[in-house]
Amino acid sequence: MAHSVPHAAPSQPIEILSLAAYEAHDADIPTNAGVLSSSSSSTKSARTHSTNTKDVDSVKEVDVEKALTCSTESSIHEEKAQHAVDSNVIFWDGPDDPHNPLNWSSPRRWGTVGIVSGLTLLTPLASSMFAPGVPEVMQEFGSSNEAISSFIVSVYVLGFAFGPLGMFLTIAPLSEMYGRLPLYHGCNILFIIFTVACAVASNIEMFIVFRFLQGTFGAAPITLGGGTIADIISREQRATAMALWMMGPTVGPTIGPIAGGFITQAKGWRWNFWILTIISSGFAIAAAILMRETYAPAILAAKVRRLRKETGNTALKSKFDTGLTPKDLFLFSIVRPSKMLIMSPIVTSISLYMAITYAYLYVLFTTFTPVFSTQYGFSRGVVGLSFAGLGVGCIFAQLYGTWMANRIFIRQLSRGDARPENRLHMMVPGAILLPIGLLIYGWTVQYTVHWIVPIAASGLVGCGLMWIFMPASTYLVDVFTVHAASAMAASTVLRSVFAAVLPLAGRKLYEDLGYGWGNSLLAFVAIAFIPMPFLFLRYGEFVRTRWVVKF
């Protein structure tokens, strides 16, 4: 089976796979490095993903549990040679074509990275910024329902669940037709509209609906940002740009409550949303003025349309043209994540573990304010500082964990062991730290030990969460290669639903069991999952090769 990969620099399969992962879609959808399709012999087989014996065997070579082989690379170069002689195939006008985003000036490229990183910081920050103001919200709307008081924070994350899934289902066909820029601008405008709607909501029902929609459209920069960076930053500099961009999802949710506590005390809870509106509007205006389309297939598609009009040659096509229609892309995108979540034990178990640990983060988000207000007498302004330990733990875990995980993987690789399971070594200390942090936090709060101790314990929880979350995400990308984005979409939906629902029981849990035993119960569940990293390290390869998902 020949794999049609339009030639773009770089055109090696590993680059195509990594860029597809950054861009939040599967590698059989066009990227700025090409596409890996299930068949290139005919457009029909590409559209239907033929399931005869020959095709299934071929798919396994580059599909979920198999690495790309030398024969695959040979077929790629054969395809390149075939396309090279086709004068109707449109590509860049040489390696220095100024229309290629990789050839833009440094100020334009890094300015774009800065704008995207700013947008990616704001939307996670919005998830928790008004958490210290929840008591004021409940008082103003005349509600004493503790479940609702937690849900108005976590419903934003439920929007995050639908946002990435919705983006995943539509980003491939929409970006191929229109590019990334319209998606950025459209979602920026809608995010601002629903942020304003939250600020002016007149009852709790309106507020919950607007928070959900705010989260849904706020997911756009997280979904699109990695792809934008891949479009404009070379591989040599991409790690720096990705580190800058990834600080948003890590830092945003933890610094939000710190700022929100003081804003709520000074101006009231609604000003959290007004300030978000002002800052988001500034970034949206900067994006509208300064950002340009970066998605290579969309840029070349526009070039093809222009040349067809000028020359009258309807046979012209882009090198990124796979023959897949938007309908085909939509159907593939909607089926794959569901099949993986249901039929792959690897995806199911890893996603479940990630979902539980991620939900713990929002249990803490929704309970920190009442815990530190009642147990330690923190004021509305100071209570936001109780989130600092969690934030410091997450940041430290990201920096040190990334360095250590890469060091471990390189060492294993030098020994000839390139199994994806080697990505999971850092999950072991994470699985151990999580329950330890929960136990220390719960019992020190129960007996009102000095406030620095539970805040430091929450830092251990943050470390544990990140060291579970980061290796698991990398593992899914390594295992499922071509369809990595589908696996990540399945995982994202499950963990976001858990993070929206589980915190509803947080306050009731503490009310019935106390802070000590309530957090101990959460810790006991985490302890039950401690064997999971060890089981995956030992048996993961057997499980993923025994139960292979076919598409």
Side-chain angles (χ1 to χ4, degrees):
M1 180 182 71
H3 295 271
S4 177
V5 180
H7 13 316
S11 59
Q12 293 302 312
I14 188 63
E15 180 73 352
I16 297 170
L17 293 173
S18 64
L19 291 181
Y22 286 143
E23 294 174 9
H25 61 68
D26 290 335
D28 55 1
I29 292 169
T31 175
N32 63 338
V35 58
L36 293 174
S37 62
S38 59
S39 175
S40 61
S41 58
S42 70
T43 301
K44 180 179 179 180
S45 62
R47 290 182 179 179
T48 61
H49 278 213
S50 175
T51 56
N52 60 44
T53 303
K54 181 178 179 180
D55 284 342
V56 169
D57 290 340
S58 300
V59 168
K60 287 181 181 178
E61 288 183 356
V62 296
D63 209 335
V64 290
E65 281 87 4
K66 298 293 184 180
L68 294 167
T69 63
C70 294
S71 61
T72 303
E73 293 198 22
S74 298
S75 64
I76 289 170
H77 292 298
E78 290 172 5
E79 288 291 330
K80 290 179 67 176
Q82 291 172 9
H83 281 300
V85 297
D86 190 345
S87 59
N88 287 324
V89 175
I90 303 302
F91 194 48
W92 305 118
D93 297 332
D96 299 321
D97 188 341
H99 294 98
N100 184 345
L102 288 170
N103 293 328
W104 288 355
S105 66
S106 291
R108 171 174 282 190
R109 289 187 293 112
W110 286 100
T112 301
V113 171
I115 293 172
V116 172
S117 298
L119 292 170
T120 309
L121 172 66
L122 283 172
T123 52
L125 182 146
S127 71
S128 59
M129 185 172 177
F130 94 107
V134 168
E136 284 193 6
V137 177
M138 300 300 290
Q139 182 179 357
E140 181 174 332
F141 290 146
S143 175
S144 59
N145 189 314
E146 292 184 352
I148 293 295
S149 69
S150 297
F151 190 58
I152 59 177
V153 176
S154 61
V155 69
Y156 186 94
V157 192
L158 190 62
F160 259 33
F162 283 84
L165 180 61
M167 289 292 167
F168 181 80
L169 296 178
T170 58
I171 189 173
L174 288 180
S175 60
E176 187 174 14
M177 291 185 292
Y178 306 113
R180 303 193 200 283
L181 209 55
L183 297 177
Y184 271 119
H185 294 335
C187 290
N188 285 344
I189 292 170
L190 290 170
F191 176 77
I192 292 169
I193 288 172
F194 289 112
T195 301
V196 171
C198 289
V200 300
S202 58
N203 59 61
I204 198 73
E205 293 80 9
M206 289 174 59
F207 185 76
I208 289 173
V209 172
F210 294 149
R211 277 282 287 171
F212 171 79
L213 293 171
Q214 183 193 28
T216 298
F217 294 105
I222 296 176
T223 308
L224 295 166
T228 299
I229 291 172
D231 291 341
I232 61 178
I233 303 297
S234 65
R235 179 188 293 184
E236 293 75 17
Q237 297 177 308
R238 196 172 297 148
T240 302
M242 289 298 294
L244 179 64
W245 175 70
M246 281 300 296
M247 291 300 286
T250 304
V251 176
T254 52
I255 67 171
I258 297 174
F262 291 105
I263 293 170
T264 300
Q265 185 180 43
K267 303 291 290 184
W269 68 269
R270 293 182 187 272
W271 266 95
N272 287 290
F273 295 99
W274 288 122
I275 288 176
L276 276 173
T277 299
I278 293 168
I279 299 173
S280 299
S281 298
F283 275 100
I285 292 170
I289 295 173
L290 301 176
M291 286 183 67
R292 299 291 182 269
E293 182 57 61
T294 65
Y295 190 45
I299 296 172
L300 289 175
K303 182 177 180 180
V304 167
R305 289 192 295 270
R306 175 176 58 81
L307 291 176
R308 283 177 178 174
K309 185 176 180 179
E310 291 176 357
T311 65
N313 184 359
T314 58
L316 295 175
K317 64 178 181 178
S318 165
K319 283 188 177 178
F320 296 116
D321 185 358
T322 62
L324 293 170
T325 66
K327 179 181 177 181
D328 295 329
L329 296 174
F330 177 82
L331 292 175
F332 293 159
S333 298
I334 199 172
V335 169
R336 286 173 181 165
S338 302
K339 288 186 68 174
M340 285 186 168
L341 192 58
I342 295 170
M343 300 175 65
S344 170
I346 290 286
V347 175
T348 303
S349 53
I350 284 280
S351 297
L352 179 62
Y353 194 18
M354 293 172 72
I356 291 173
T357 55
Y358 192 66
Y360 284 177
L361 179 65
Y362 279 86
V363 170
L364 297 180
F365 277 160
T366 57
T367 57
F368 268 180
T369 298
V371 166
F372 284 91
S373 297
T374 58
Q375 294 295 97
Y376 295 96
F378 282 16
S379 67
R380 291 285 168 82
V382 176
V383 76
L385 296 174
S386 61
F387 293 79
L390 195 61
V392 171
C394 288
I395 294 170
F396 169 78
Q398 183 181 17
L399 298 176
Y400 178 78
T402 301
W403 174 78
M404 180 58 71
N406 289 336
R407 185 177 179 183
I408 292 172
F409 189 78
I410 290 171
R411 183 172 66 243
Q412 295 296 117
L413 196 63
S414 66
R415 296 174 181 173
D417 184 5
R419 294 177 305 141
E421 284 72 27
N422 290 326
R423 296 289 192 184
L424 299 178
H425 286 283
M426 283 304 296
M427 189 182 280
V428 173
I432 296 171
L433 278 179
L434 179 60
I436 291 175
L438 287 169
L439 288 169
I440 297 174
Y441 167 76
W443 287 107
T444 53
V445 166
Q446 179 74 35
Y447 291 105
T448 57
V449 178
H450 190 278
W451 55 264
I452 195 65
V453 180
I455 289 179
S458 70
L460 296 179
V461 175
C463 270
L465 289 169
M466 291 300 292
W467 285 346
I468 292 169
F469 187 80
M470 291 168 55
S473 299
T474 307
Y475 177 68
L476 288 176
V477 172
D478 279 2
V479 167
F480 290 94
T481 57
V482 174
H483 297 136
S486 290
M488 290 300 295
S491 174
T492 297
V493 172
L494 189 64
R495 74 171 183 267
S496 297
V497 170
F498 269 57
V501 174
L502 189 59
L504 301 182
R507 294 195 183 186
K508 182 66 173 174
L509 179 70
Y510 292 154
E511 181 182 320
D512 292 345
L513 299 179
Y515 298 120
W517 284 112
N519 282 285
S520 294
L521 179 60
L522 300 178
F524 293 153
V525 175
I527 289 171
F529 277 91
I530 286 179
M532 180 168 284
F534 296 96
L535 292 174
F536 272 111
L537 286 169
R538 184 175 183 111
Y539 302 109
E541 184 176 14
F542 169 77
V543 172
R544 64 182 167 84
T545 53
R546 173 67 176 80
W547 287 278
V548 178
V549 181
K550 298 182 177 67
F551 301 104

